[in-house]
Amino acid sequence: MKGYRDMTREELLAERQELNERYENYKALNLTLDMTRGKPSPLQLDLSNDIYDVLNGDFKTAKGQDTRNYGIAEGIEEIRAVFGEILGTDKDNIFMGNSSSLNQMYDAIMRSMVFGEVDSPKPWAQVEGRKWLCPTPGYDRHFRVTETFGFELIPVPITEDGPDMDMVEELVKDEKVKGIWCVPCYSNPDGIVYSKETCERLAKMETAASDFRIFWDNAYVVHHLSEDRNEWGKLPDMLSLCESYGHANRVYEFASSSKITFAGGGISCFACNKDNMTYAKKYLNAQTICTNKVNQLAHARYLPNAEAVYQHMMKHAAILRPKFEACQNVLNEELGFDDLWHWTNPKGGYFVSFYAMPGTATKIVSMCKEAGVALTPAGASYPYGKDPQDSNIRLAPSFPVIEDIEKAVRILAICAKITAVDKLLEDLK
Ligand SMILES: Cc1ncc(COP(=O)(O)O)c(C=O)c1O
């Protein structure tokens, strides 16, 4: 098939007619399909249904501590060891929390706002015009956190290697720039794994702010799609990398079991160096006596080491892979004939990032909605919800069943074609 830009006006009109019929046929089906959020499907959640069986009336840790009671604010040793192994850092660098790493990120920034960091000249709330770097497209909820705390969100384009480091190195010369969001393994939504060089440059760069922080959100650290371990995204341990360049305080790392066991009933953690940890604990110990250690124990017994986690994640991958493949197949089938659009084919994580012809994403999302397909709003992956190209649409194939994914992605593709044809016809006027 000819690319749309090579078609005559008549050919485009004929194509438009055909696409319109297909679109109206789908509309007549009164579908309700949802590709909005990266939620695990019920089948994935079922993988961990027996997690609490391992407790079996025994709530004591290996050291004999009673997890039902108060105490051990940083979390029990055995689960800190599991996360330490996954993240490649020592268990003593880890502080466990309840079921949301996003909550931990929010709290970490809240502490800096009110009290400042261990190396801050003053609390961040007192820094007029504070700024935060947002690799873009990125995770909408990250952006919402820093927007809520009054940071100006500075977009930094993401490349195949991670954030554009030339730009980051320039921007951090401004002392009002206090930090950067990073999803280094299978970034949300593009599925990018930061290169070793990007990690090195982030660790090494000189920043004007003495209290600059990297929020290293390793949400997808074990969320590989491939059985082949050579294909798994790998990262250096950012804590020791920052330390090796004399910036030991620079990074807070986050992770959780939300998409390993239960998204609504898991456990989370943050990792940082000793100075940051001692400082954070001063406030955390005022905030809470402990988090849910019974859940930590269940997780530690159920998934006692990194290898157990990897094997469990391969069960998720077996469920997720066909869904991601279904997405790719339909996109290739419908849109492979032209390069007016492109999309990612990630090796892990939860998303496929679709880039429509610039200037059409908002229209595509609203047309999909009319046809019963809910998509994340166009622009959601950009600071302030504004994609300057109006091109990116984040697709989340984890939750729906394959049949629904195929329908939803086909409708998306039809809408992408309709809007592209309309735009080209407009240009021909
Ligand atoms: C990059 C990223 N970080 C964090 C989260 C949320 O993690 P949690 O459930 O631990 O709060 C998500 C969820 O989609 C995510 O994509």
Side-chain angles (χ1 to χ4, degrees):
M1 181 166 169
K2 257 193 213 174
Y4 283 166
R5 278 166 298 200
D6 297 327
M7 286 190 184
T8 61
R9 189 177 151 73
E10 286 62 38
E11 285 170 324
L12 284 172
L13 284 169
E15 173 74 3
R16 179 68 168 89
Q17 175 85 17
E18 199 181 304
L19 289 167
N20 207 42
E21 272 167 34
R22 290 181 71 195
Y23 179 67
E24 291 302 326
N25 286 342
Y26 273 114
K27 249 169 92 174
L29 297 176
N30 287 324
L31 299 168
T32 44
L33 305 172
D34 191 340
M35 296 275 283
T36 52
R37 296 230 73 99
K39 289 200 295 192
S41 63
L43 261 184
Q44 289 177 266
L45 298 170
D46 286 348
L47 291 173
S48 305
N49 278 351
D50 52 351
I51 186 168
Y52 298 110
D53 297 354
V54 297
L55 291 173
N56 201 21
D58 172 9
F59 296 97
K60 298 242 169 89
T61 66
K63 280 188 169 164
Q65 297 152 312
D66 191 339
T67 56
R68 294 169 303 177
N69 221 329
Y70 281 135
I72 328 175
E74 67 276 17
I76 64 171
E77 201 172 306
E78 40 265 73
I79 196 64
R80 286 190 288 111
V82 177
F83 274 98
E85 202 187 341
I86 290 171
L87 300 177
T89 190
D90 194 276
K91 63 180 178 340
D92 292 340
N93 294 329
I94 293 200
F95 192 100
M96 299 304 304
N98 290 320
S99 77
S100 164
S101 59
L102 190 70
N103 190 173
Q104 301 236 28
M105 297 173 218
Y106 186 96
D107 275 357
I109 298 193
M110 177 67 102
R111 283 195 298 276
S112 313
M113 290 293 289
V114 179
F115 307 110
E117 286 290 333
V118 66
D119 41 15
S120 289
K122 56 183 171 187
W124 289 0
Q126 292 171 21
V127 178
E128 288 292 323
R130 55 190 170 273
K131 299 174 190 167
W132 199 274
L133 305 186
C134 300
T136 296
Y139 180 35
D140 52 347
R141 287 183 181 272
H142 280 166
F143 300 162
R144 188 150 24 126
V145 170
T146 32
E147 188 181 357
T148 302
F149 283 122
F151 287 84
E152 184 189 336
L153 309 182
I154 313 287
V156 177
I158 276 237
T159 72
E160 273 180 13
D161 292 318
D164 177 335
M165 282 311 298
D166 290 341
M167 201 166 163
V168 170
E169 284 162 354
E170 261 322 290
L171 287 165
V172 296
K173 290 179 184 163
D174 176 352
E175 66 175 357
K176 300 217 184 250
V177 173
K178 291 292 187 188
I180 183 169
W181 290 116
C182 292
V183 184
C185 192
Y186 309 129
S187 67
N188 172 351
D190 280 353
I192 280 160
V193 180
Y194 288 17
S195 69
K196 194 161 170 277
E197 193 202 338
T198 297
C199 298
E200 297 258 350
R201 287 173 75 177
L202 281 164
K204 188 177 180 183
M205 67 189 180
E206 292 307 323
T207 63
S210 60
D211 52 355
F212 180 88
R213 290 292 183 272
I214 298 171
F215 272 48
W216 197 249
D217 179 2
N218 229 333
Y220 299 109
V221 60
V222 289
H223 302 61
H224 317 287
L225 285 170
S226 173
E227 290 271 351
D228 180 354
R229 294 189 179 201
N230 294 318
E231 290 196 13
W232 291 5
K234 285 190 188 60
L235 292 164
D237 162 31
M238 203 54 180
L239 264 63
S240 53
L241 195 61
C242 286
E243 189 177 6
S244 72
Y245 285 109
H247 302 129
N249 290 349
R250 177 164 291 176
V251 61
Y252 284 108
E253 181 163 15
F254 301 89
S256 79
S257 72
S258 292
K259 295 183 186 87
I260 300 174
T261 55
F262 297 146
I267 52 177
S268 64
C269 73
F270 74 83
C272 60
N273 76 329
K274 202 163 176 221
D275 282 359
N276 280 332
M277 186 62 83
T278 309
Y279 187 73
K281 275 185 179 169
K282 187 168 124 187
Y283 301 109
L284 284 160
N285 285 331
Q287 185 178 358
T288 185
I289 308 174
C290 67
T291 53
N292 185 342
K293 299 191 301 294
V294 175
N295 206 14
Q296 291 170 21
L297 184 65
H299 278 77
R301 290 220 188 116
Y302 195 64
L303 300 168
N305 49 45
E307 184 54 36
V309 175
Y310 300 150
Q311 289 186 17
H312 187 73
M313 292 314 289
M314 284 301 98
K315 296 183 197 160
H316 282 278
I319 298 171
L320 288 169
R321 236 175 1 246
K323 297 186 175 193
F324 277 79
E325 280 164 11
C327 251
Q328 297 298 324
N329 291 343
V330 176
L331 289 170
N332 279 322
E333 219 178 277
E334 291 283 345
L335 302 175
F337 69 97
D338 207 331
D339 63 359
L340 281 169
W341 31 66
H342 60 100
W343 59 89
T344 57
N345 186 4
K347 291 197 154 60
Y350 261 62
F351 304 102
V352 172
S353 194
F354 180 73
Y355 291 86
M357 187 180 179
T360 63
T362 307
K363 178 78 183 154
I364 292 170
V365 172
S366 76
M367 284 183 75
C368 283
K369 191 172 173 203
E370 261 182 69
V373 179
L375 295 171
T376 318
S381 301
Y382 291 75
Y384 309 110
K386 290 202 185 89
D387 171 3
Q389 294 286 317
D390 190 23
S391 163
N392 183 253
I393 299 172
R394 188 183 79 170
L395 304 177
S398 58
F399 193 83
V401 295
I402 291 184
E403 204 193 345
D404 286 351
I405 294 171
E406 285 171 346
K407 275 193 215 123
V409 176
R410 205 169 291 283
I411 292 168
L412 163 92
I414 291 170
C415 297
K417 288 197 269 196
I418 291 177
T419 49
V421 169
D422 283 352
K423 208 161 183 350
L424 291 169
L425 282 168
E426 190 68 22
D427 292 348
L428 284 178
K429 267 187 191 165

